[in-house]
Structures are given as C-alpha cells and as structure tokens.
Amino acid sequence: HQGESDAKRQVQSYVDNQDVYDSQVNLPEKIDGKKVKYYSSKGQNSYVVVTIGLILSVALFFFKDRDIKDKIEDRNEQLLEDYPEIVNKLLLYHNAGLSVKSAIEKIVSDKKEYHEMLRYAYEELEISLIQMKSGVSEIKAINNYGKNCGLHCYVKLSGIIEQNIRRGTNAMTVVLENELESSMIEKKNTMLKAGGKISTK
C-alpha cells in the first residue's frame, strides 16, 4: 500500500533524525496530522513458532510410533524363527531325563555359549528360570514365559509344559514331537512367503 509505505518512510526519517546517543526514541504520535498506531510483530511470530512446534510434535509422534511398530515386528519375527529350536531343545533334554527346570537351565546355558546377539525367546526363558530360582512356582514361571513372548505358539508351548508338570506323564514327548513338526512346517512357509515378498520388490 502506497500510503502505508509513505508512513513507514516518514517514521524512519523521524527516527533517523533523533539523537543517536539516546538509548530510546519516542515514535511520532501523528504524521501529516493523522494519529498513528503501532503494532508489535512479536505476537505474529509467536503464533508461527507455536504452529511450527505443534507440527513438529505431531511428526515426531508418528515417526516414533512407526519405529515402535517396526521393532515389535522384528521381535515377533525373531521369536517365530527361534521357536522350532526351543521346542527341539526341550524335546531332547526331556527325552534325556532332565526335569523342566533343568532342561530350561541347559537351554539358557546353550544360548549364552552359541548366541552372542540378543535372542528374545532365550532372554524370556532366562527370566522364567530366574523366577523359578527366586521361589516362583515352575507353573507360574512357565505361564509368564508364554505371556511375555506374546505369540500364540509360545502360549501353547507353556501350556504343554504346564500340563506335563501337573500330570508328570511321559506324554510330553509325543506332544513336543508333533509341535516340532508343525513349527518346522510353519517356519518353512514363513520363509517362502518372505522370499516371495523379496522377489516381487
């Protein structure tokens, strides 16, 4: 606006003509006989800052949410990958005559010897073993194992072990053999699906 630009020039000219040694300058109240009003740009800037802050907060929330989902998916994939190995080890040590607690102790020991990286299935099993050693019943600790892993197959496995502890029968050998066979088939199908996804990308 021409009138607004002229007014700004006149105000600037007025300021330039003031004493340069003064720490403050009083702005003119009138220009060409007309009363002048002054507005601070600080209010508008603060709105811009708040708006940008809100946008960044929302963006960070969605990025963080996506990161958490990716980590859960990676964890579940690893749990499924290790499941047949866990079942196989339980079957081997059970057939060797070890108790449930001793078998778990041996599996945890094997993990520390052969797996350097974090393996969630073994870490959760170690937590269950620590619970048993601290006075928690074997049934409770095994139930916690299934719940903490969070996948159906591990909940099923904890149920199989619990049943064996309660009944003290040798039926667990047959049940674990069947579970091992079905878990191997499931693992093979999962790998085929993953391979199909990679080939189509």
Side-chain angles (χ1 to χ4, degrees):
H1 306 298
Q2 187 64 39
E4 187 177 331
S5 298
D6 289 341
K8 285 180 179 179
R9 278 197 294 271
Q10 289 183 53
V11 170
Q12 187 62 53
S13 176
Y14 176 85
V15 171
D16 292 341
N17 289 326
Q18 299 301 303
D19 189 345
V20 294
Y21 296 105
D22 286 345
S23 60
Q24 289 184 342
V25 174
N26 293 322
L27 298 175
E29 294 182 3
K30 290 183 179 182
I31 293 176
D32 295 335
K34 294 181 180 178
K35 196 169 182 181
V36 180
K37 288 184 179 179
Y38 298 96
Y39 298 92
S40 172
S41 61
K42 185 179 178 181
Q44 293 178 338
N45 290 339
S46 64
Y47 285 124
V48 171
V49 171
V50 170
T51 303
I52 292 171
L54 286 171
I55 292 169
L56 287 173
S57 297
V58 172
L60 285 171
F61 171 80
F62 281 110
F63 280 127
K64 188 70 176 173
D65 186 54
R66 184 65 219 166
D67 185 50
I68 291 169
K69 285 179 181 177
D70 287 342
K71 285 180 179 177
I72 291 171
E73 284 178 11
D74 290 344
R75 176 184 182 272
N76 289 346
E77 283 177 12
Q78 192 196 84
L79 283 167
L80 289 172
E81 183 183 334
D82 288 343
Y83 183 69
E85 188 177 278
I86 294 283
V87 176
N88 186 47
K89 286 180 181 292
L90 273 171
L91 179 60
L92 286 172
Y93 293 132
H94 173 72
N95 287 342
L98 271 66
S99 66
V100 169
K101 184 178 178 180
S102 296
I104 291 172
E105 206 161 6
K106 194 78 174 69
I107 293 168
V108 170
S109 176
D110 290 346
K111 181 265 172 188
K112 288 181 177 179
E113 187 175 348
Y114 297 109
H115 289 292
E116 291 183 4
M117 64 180 290
L118 174 72
R119 307 301 294 184
Y120 295 105
Y122 289 92
E123 296 299 325
E124 292 295 348
L125 202 56
E126 186 173 8
I127 290 169
S128 294
L129 180 62
I130 292 168
Q131 288 175 350
M132 290 178 196
K133 289 181 176 180
S134 65
V136 176
S137 70
E138 288 185 8
I139 290 174
K140 178 68 176 172
I142 290 299
N143 273 331
N144 289 342
Y145 179 63
K147 288 176 184 176
N148 292 340
C149 288
L151 298 181
H152 173 72
C153 56
Y154 284 92
V155 175
K156 184 181 178 182
L157 180 62
S158 66
I160 292 169
I161 298 169
E162 180 188 339
Q163 209 169 40
N164 179 74
I165 294 170
R166 289 184 186 279
R167 296 180 182 178
T169 64
N170 291 323
M172 191 164 88
T173 298
V174 177
V175 178
L176 284 177
E177 284 174 349
N178 291 335
E179 187 62 19
L180 178 60
E181 185 179 352
S182 62
S183 68
M184 290 297 291
I185 293 169
E186 183 63 31
K187 184 176 180 178
K188 184 180 177 181
N189 291 336
T190 302
M191 289 173 71
L192 287 171
K193 286 177 185 177
K197 285 180 182 178
I198 292 168
S199 64
T200 55
K201 285 184 179 179

mmCIF file with all atom_site columns, all heavy atoms in Angstrom, residues 22-34:
data_model
loop_
_atom_site.group_PDB
_atom_site.id
_atom_site.type_symbol
_atom_site.label_atom_id
_atom_site.label_alt_id
_atom_site.label_comp_id
_atom_site.label_asym_id
_atom_site.label_entity_id
_atom_site.label_seq_id
_atom_site.pdbx_PDB_ins_code
_atom_site.Cartn_x
_atom_site.Cartn_y
_atom_site.Cartn_z
_atom_site.occupancy
_atom_site.B_iso_or_equiv
_atom_site.pdbx_formal_charge
_atom_site.auth_seq_id
_atom_site.auth_comp_id
_atom_site.auth_asym_id
_atom_site.auth_atom_id
_atom_site.pdbx_PDB_model_num
ATOM 1   N N   . ASP A 1 22 ? 20.904 8.680  22.257 1.00 0.00 ? 22 ASP A N   1
ATOM 2   C CA  . ASP A 1 22 ? 19.797 8.304  23.149 1.00 0.00 ? 22 ASP A CA  1
ATOM 3   C C   . ASP A 1 22 ? 19.577 6.800  23.077 1.00 0.00 ? 22 ASP A C   1
ATOM 4   O O   . ASP A 1 22 ? 19.620 6.198  22.002 1.00 0.00 ? 22 ASP A O   1
ATOM 5   C CB  . ASP A 1 22 ? 18.497 9.026  22.741 1.00 0.00 ? 22 ASP A CB  1
ATOM 6   C CG  . ASP A 1 22 ? 18.541 10.507 23.131 1.00 0.00 ? 22 ASP A CG  1
ATOM 7   O OD1 . ASP A 1 22 ? 19.421 10.866 23.935 1.00 0.00 ? 22 ASP A OD1 1
ATOM 8   O OD2 . ASP A 1 22 ? 17.709 11.269 22.606 1.00 0.00 ? 22 ASP A OD2 1
ATOM 9   N N   . SER A 1 23 ? 19.343 6.200  24.250 1.00 0.00 ? 23 SER A N   1
ATOM 10  C CA  . SER A 1 23 ? 19.101 4.753  24.281 1.00 0.00 ? 23 SER A CA  1
ATOM 11  C C   . SER A 1 23 ? 17.695 4.412  23.810 1.00 0.00 ? 23 SER A C   1
ATOM 12  O O   . SER A 1 23 ? 17.420 3.291  23.391 1.00 0.00 ? 23 SER A O   1
ATOM 13  C CB  . SER A 1 23 ? 19.315 4.209  25.707 1.00 0.00 ? 23 SER A CB  1
ATOM 14  O OG  . SER A 1 23 ? 18.420 4.849  26.611 1.00 0.00 ? 23 SER A OG  1
ATOM 15  N N   . GLN A 1 24 ? 16.772 5.374  23.872 1.00 0.00 ? 24 GLN A N   1
ATOM 16  C CA  . GLN A 1 24 ? 15.403 5.142  23.433 1.00 0.00 ? 24 GLN A CA  1
ATOM 17  C C   . GLN A 1 24 ? 14.953 6.297  22.542 1.00 0.00 ? 24 GLN A C   1
ATOM 18  O O   . GLN A 1 24 ? 15.425 7.430  22.672 1.00 0.00 ? 24 GLN A O   1
ATOM 19  C CB  . GLN A 1 24 ? 14.456 5.040  24.635 1.00 0.00 ? 24 GLN A CB  1
ATOM 20  C CG  . GLN A 1 24 ? 14.649 3.766  25.439 1.00 0.00 ? 24 GLN A CG  1
ATOM 21  C CD  . GLN A 1 24 ? 13.608 3.659  26.562 1.00 0.00 ? 24 GLN A CD  1
ATOM 22  O OE1 . GLN A 1 24 ? 13.000 4.663  26.932 1.00 0.00 ? 24 GLN A OE1 1
ATOM 23  N NE2 . GLN A 1 24 ? 13.419 2.474  27.066 1.00 0.00 ? 24 GLN A NE2 1
ATOM 24  N N   . VAL A 1 25 ? 14.029 5.978  21.653 1.00 0.00 ? 25 VAL A N   1
ATOM 25  C CA  . VAL A 1 25 ? 13.465 7.001  20.765 1.00 0.00 ? 25 VAL A CA  1
ATOM 26  C C   . VAL A 1 25 ? 11.955 6.943  20.851 1.00 0.00 ? 25 VAL A C   1
ATOM 27  O O   . VAL A 1 25 ? 11.362 5.866  20.733 1.00 0.00 ? 25 VAL A O   1
ATOM 28  C CB  . VAL A 1 25 ? 13.908 6.759  19.298 1.00 0.00 ? 25 VAL A CB  1
ATOM 29  C CG1 . VAL A 1 25 ? 13.203 7.746  18.369 1.00 0.00 ? 25 VAL A CG1 1
ATOM 30  C CG2 . VAL A 1 25 ? 15.416 6.901  19.160 1.00 0.00 ? 25 VAL A CG2 1
ATOM 31  N N   . ASN A 1 26 ? 11.331 8.085  21.091 1.00 0.00 ? 26 ASN A N   1
ATOM 32  C CA  . ASN A 1 26 ? 9.879  8.160  21.103 1.00 0.00 ? 26 ASN A CA  1
ATOM 33  C C   . ASN A 1 26 ? 9.375  8.326  19.671 1.00 0.00 ? 26 ASN A C   1
ATOM 34  O O   . ASN A 1 26 ? 9.790  9.235  18.953 1.00 0.00 ? 26 ASN A O   1
ATOM 35  C CB  . ASN A 1 26 ? 9.404  9.341  21.962 1.00 0.00 ? 26 ASN A CB  1
ATOM 36  C CG  . ASN A 1 26 ? 9.727  9.132  23.429 1.00 0.00 ? 26 ASN A CG  1
ATOM 37  O OD1 . ASN A 1 26 ? 9.633  8.011  23.929 1.00 0.00 ? 26 ASN A OD1 1
ATOM 38  N ND2 . ASN A 1 26 ? 10.119 10.196 24.110 1.00 0.00 ? 26 ASN A ND2 1
ATOM 39  N N   . LEU A 1 27 ? 8.514  7.426  19.264 1.00 0.00 ? 27 LEU A N   1
ATOM 40  C CA  . LEU A 1 27 ? 7.972  7.475  17.901 1.00 0.00 ? 27 LEU A CA  1
ATOM 41  C C   . LEU A 1 27 ? 6.924  8.582  17.802 1.00 0.00 ? 27 LEU A C   1
ATOM 42  O O   . LEU A 1 27 ? 6.240  8.901  18.792 1.00 0.00 ? 27 LEU A O   1
ATOM 43  C CB  . LEU A 1 27 ? 7.360  6.115  17.527 1.00 0.00 ? 27 LEU A CB  1
ATOM 44  C CG  . LEU A 1 27 ? 8.354  4.945  17.506 1.00 0.00 ? 27 LEU A CG  1
ATOM 45  C CD1 . LEU A 1 27 ? 7.613  3.640  17.253 1.00 0.00 ? 27 LEU A CD1 1
ATOM 46  C CD2 . LEU A 1 27 ? 9.411  5.157  16.443 1.00 0.00 ? 27 LEU A CD2 1
ATOM 47  N N   . PRO A 1 28 ? 6.770  9.167  16.621 1.00 0.00 ? 28 PRO A N   1
ATOM 48  C CA  . PRO A 1 28 ? 5.788  10.255 16.470 1.00 0.00 ? 28 PRO A CA  1
ATOM 49  C C   . PRO A 1 28 ? 4.367  9.764  16.653 1.00 0.00 ? 28 PRO A C   1
ATOM 50  O O   . PRO A 1 28 ? 4.018  8.656  16.246 1.00 0.00 ? 28 PRO A O   1
ATOM 51  C CB  . PRO A 1 28 ? 6.015  10.718 15.022 1.00 0.00 ? 28 PRO A CB  1
ATOM 52  C CG  . PRO A 1 28 ? 6.609  9.544  14.326 1.00 0.00 ? 28 PRO A CG  1
ATOM 53  C CD  . PRO A 1 28 ? 7.449  8.852  15.350 1.00 0.00 ? 28 PRO A CD  1
ATOM 54  N N   . GLU A 1 29 ? 3.566  10.600 17.330 1.00 0.00 ? 29 GLU A N   1
ATOM 55  C CA  . GLU A 1 29 ? 2.171  10.226 17.556 1.00 0.00 ? 29 GLU A CA  1
ATOM 56  C C   . GLU A 1 29 ? 1.303  10.563 16.351 1.00 0.00 ? 29 GLU A C   1
ATOM 57  O O   . GLU A 1 29 ? 0.253  9.961  16.146 1.00 0.00 ? 29 GLU A O   1
ATOM 58  C CB  . GLU A 1 29 ? 1.643  10.945 18.798 1.00 0.00 ? 29 GLU A CB  1
ATOM 59  C CG  . GLU A 1 29 ? 2.333  10.487 20.088 1.00 0.00 ? 29 GLU A CG  1
ATOM 60  C CD  . GLU A 1 29 ? 1.760  11.180 21.305 1.00 0.00 ? 29 GLU A CD  1
ATOM 61  O OE1 . GLU A 1 29 ? 0.783  11.975 21.152 1.00 0.00 ? 29 GLU A OE1 1
ATOM 62  O OE2 . GLU A 1 29 ? 2.266  10.950 22.416 1.00 0.00 ? 29 GLU A OE2 1
ATOM 63  N N   . LYS A 1 30 ? 1.740  11.551 15.539 1.00 0.00 ? 30 LYS A N   1
ATOM 64  C CA  . LYS A 1 30 ? 0.959  11.950 14.358 1.00 0.00 ? 30 LYS A CA  1
ATOM 65  C C   . LYS A 1 30 ? 1.886  12.113 13.155 1.00 0.00 ? 30 LYS A C   1
ATOM 66  O O   . LYS A 1 30 ? 3.037  12.509 13.291 1.00 0.00 ? 30 LYS A O   1
ATOM 67  C CB  . LYS A 1 30 ? 0.229  13.268 14.614 1.00 0.00 ? 30 LYS A CB  1
ATOM 68  C CG  . LYS A 1 30 ? -0.917 13.162 15.608 1.00 0.00 ? 30 LYS A CG  1
ATOM 69  C CD  . LYS A 1 30 ? -1.642 14.487 15.748 1.00 0.00 ? 30 LYS A CD  1
ATOM 70  C CE  . LYS A 1 30 ? -2.809 14.393 16.731 1.00 0.00 ? 30 LYS A CE  1
ATOM 71  N NZ  . LYS A 1 30 ? -3.541 15.666 16.847 1.00 0.00 ? 30 LYS A NZ  1
ATOM 72  N N   . ILE A 1 31 ? 1.359  11.781 11.989 1.00 0.00 ? 31 ILE A N   1
ATOM 73  C CA  . ILE A 1 31 ? 2.057  12.002 10.716 1.00 0.00 ? 31 ILE A CA  1
ATOM 74  C C   . ILE A 1 31 ? 1.071  12.685 9.782  1.00 0.00 ? 31 ILE A C   1
ATOM 75  O O   . ILE A 1 31 ? -0.036 12.162 9.549  1.00 0.00 ? 31 ILE A O   1
ATOM 76  C CB  . ILE A 1 31 ? 2.548  10.672 10.094 1.00 0.00 ? 31 ILE A CB  1
ATOM 77  C CG1 . ILE A 1 31 ? 3.649  10.049 10.981 1.00 0.00 ? 31 ILE A CG1 1
ATOM 78  C CG2 . ILE A 1 31 ? 3.076  10.895 8.692  1.00 0.00 ? 31 ILE A CG2 1
ATOM 79  C CD1 . ILE A 1 31 ? 4.113  8.704  10.498 1.00 0.00 ? 31 ILE A CD1 1
ATOM 80  N N   . ASP A 1 32 ? 1.472  13.820 9.266  1.00 0.00 ? 32 ASP A N   1
ATOM 81  C CA  . ASP A 1 32 ? 0.583  14.622 8.408  1.00 0.00 ? 32 ASP A CA  1
ATOM 82  C C   . ASP A 1 32 ? -0.748 14.904 9.087  1.00 0.00 ? 32 ASP A C   1
ATOM 83  O O   . ASP A 1 32 ? -1.811 14.890 8.456  1.00 0.00 ? 32 ASP A O   1
ATOM 84  C CB  . ASP A 1 32 ? 0.336  13.920 7.068  1.00 0.00 ? 32 ASP A CB  1
ATOM 85  C CG  . ASP A 1 32 ? 1.618  13.812 6.239  1.00 0.00 ? 32 ASP A CG  1
ATOM 86  O OD1 . ASP A 1 32 ? 2.522  14.650 6.453  1.00 0.00 ? 32 ASP A OD1 1
ATOM 87  O OD2 . ASP A 1 32 ? 1.706  12.905 5.387  1.00 0.00 ? 32 ASP A OD2 1
ATOM 88  N N   . GLY A 1 33 ? -0.682 15.115 10.400 1.00 0.00 ? 33 GLY A N   1
ATOM 89  C CA  . GLY A 1 33 ? -1.882 15.463 11.155 1.00 0.00 ? 33 GLY A CA  1
ATOM 90  C C   . GLY A 1 33 ? -2.766 14.288 11.504 1.00 0.00 ? 33 GLY A C   1
ATOM 91  O O   . GLY A 1 33 ? -3.797 14.441 12.147 1.00 0.00 ? 33 GLY A O   1
ATOM 92  N N   . LYS A 1 34 ? -2.364 13.114 11.092 1.00 0.00 ? 34 LYS A N   1
ATOM 93  C CA  . LYS A 1 34 ? -3.173 11.924 11.381 1.00 0.00 ? 34 LYS A CA  1
ATOM 94  C C   . LYS A 1 34 ? -2.523 11.110 12.493 1.00 0.00 ? 34 LYS A C   1
ATOM 95  O O   . LYS A 1 34 ? -1.305 10.942 12.522 1.00 0.00 ? 34 LYS A O   1
ATOM 96  C CB  . LYS A 1 34 ? -3.302 11.059 10.130 1.00 0.00 ? 34 LYS A CB  1
ATOM 97  C CG  . LYS A 1 34 ? -4.101 11.725 9.020  1.00 0.00 ? 34 LYS A CG  1
ATOM 98  C CD  . LYS A 1 34 ? -4.208 10.811 7.812  1.00 0.00 ? 34 LYS A CD  1
ATOM 99  C CE  . LYS A 1 34 ? -5.003 11.485 6.696  1.00 0.00 ? 34 LYS A CE  1
ATOM 100 N NZ  . LYS A 1 34 ? -5.078 10.625 5.498  1.00 0.00 ? 34 LYS A NZ  1
#
